[in-house]
Amino acid sequence: MAGTSIPSYRRSARTDYRMWLLLVFGTVFFWAGSVIDPADNCSEDGECAPWLVPLAQGLGALVAAGAAMNMLANPNRGSFVEPATGDLIWWQGRIGATGGDEGRIHPSRIAKIRIVRQEDSNDVVHLYDLDGDRLFWFDEEVIPWPYERWAGRLAAAWPHIAVEVVD
């Protein structure tokens, strides 16, 4: 079957390095706000901003709590080719086995995968059907990096699929 060369991909909040970075970042700011005396928060020229310390502590607590709650709920995202039907299935924001945003299409109905490279942020990935419509909830979050390799494997299995890389 053509889909066997397309690996399954699944990522959850607990395995996403970004959630761990947010948790560490928030915890550091919360800790720093706990140990710095607001009265001592003055620059060398005598300007003081004692309100910055509790603000940093509060924002740190908010960021750390948000990351921790997201990791506790553990939403996941991913994609795979279903062996029984050959459909490409993808999902985002799924908690447990069901729910979230999801989509499916048979690769014979895919016209193009468009990868837009961006200098200052992550690349963006779009999937288009034969009618030229962009498919919802399919983006760079549901496929493994490097995106070109995944798209190349899909195009190798179904040669009619065009892979467009925009710099």
Side-chain angles (χ1 to χ4, degrees):
M1 171 177 247
T4 58
S5 65
I6 312 302
S8 295
Y9 176 75
R10 182 172 179 222
R11 178 75 57 192
S12 71
R14 293 179 193 158
T15 60
D16 190 347
Y17 72 92
R18 297 174 297 185
M19 285 300 114
W20 287 99
L21 286 175
L22 284 173
L23 183 64
V24 168
F25 178 80
T27 303
V28 166
F29 267 74
F30 180 75
W31 173 80
S34 301
V35 297
I36 296 173
D37 183 11
D40 294 338
N41 187 28
C42 298
S43 65
E44 293 177 9
D45 59 354
E47 290 186 37
C48 294
W51 57 272
L52 281 177
V53 174
L55 178 66
Q57 185 180 25
L59 287 175
L62 187 65
V63 168
M69 295 302 286
N70 195 26
M71 291 168 70
L72 182 64
N74 200 29
N76 65 74
R77 60 191 186 275
S79 62
F80 70 98
V81 175
E82 185 177 46
T85 63
D87 287 353
L88 173 64
I89 300 173
W90 63 92
W91 67 93
Q92 292 189 30
R94 181 181 288 175
I95 297 175
T98 60
D101 299 322
E102 56 187 60
R104 86 171 24 221
I105 189 172
H106 193 275
S108 65
R109 299 265 319 132
I110 298 172
K112 177 173 64 173
I113 300 170
R114 186 171 195 242
I115 302 168
V116 181
R117 296 186 193 267
Q118 300 187 51
E119 286 184 33
D120 298 336
S121 62
N122 291 337
D123 296 344
V124 178
V125 179
H126 302 293
L127 184 67
Y128 295 90
D129 66 12
L130 293 175
D131 298 327
D133 295 328
R134 183 172 161 237
L135 300 176
F136 294 113
W137 307 299
F138 187 94
D139 59 22
E140 63 280 355
E141 294 285 325
V142 301
I143 60 174
W145 187 87
Y147 310 126
E148 295 86 3
R149 182 183 310 158
W150 183 90
R153 283 183 166 174
L154 193 67
W158 288 276
H160 71 281
I161 298 174
V163 177
E164 177 184 356
V165 179
V166 180
D167 288 321

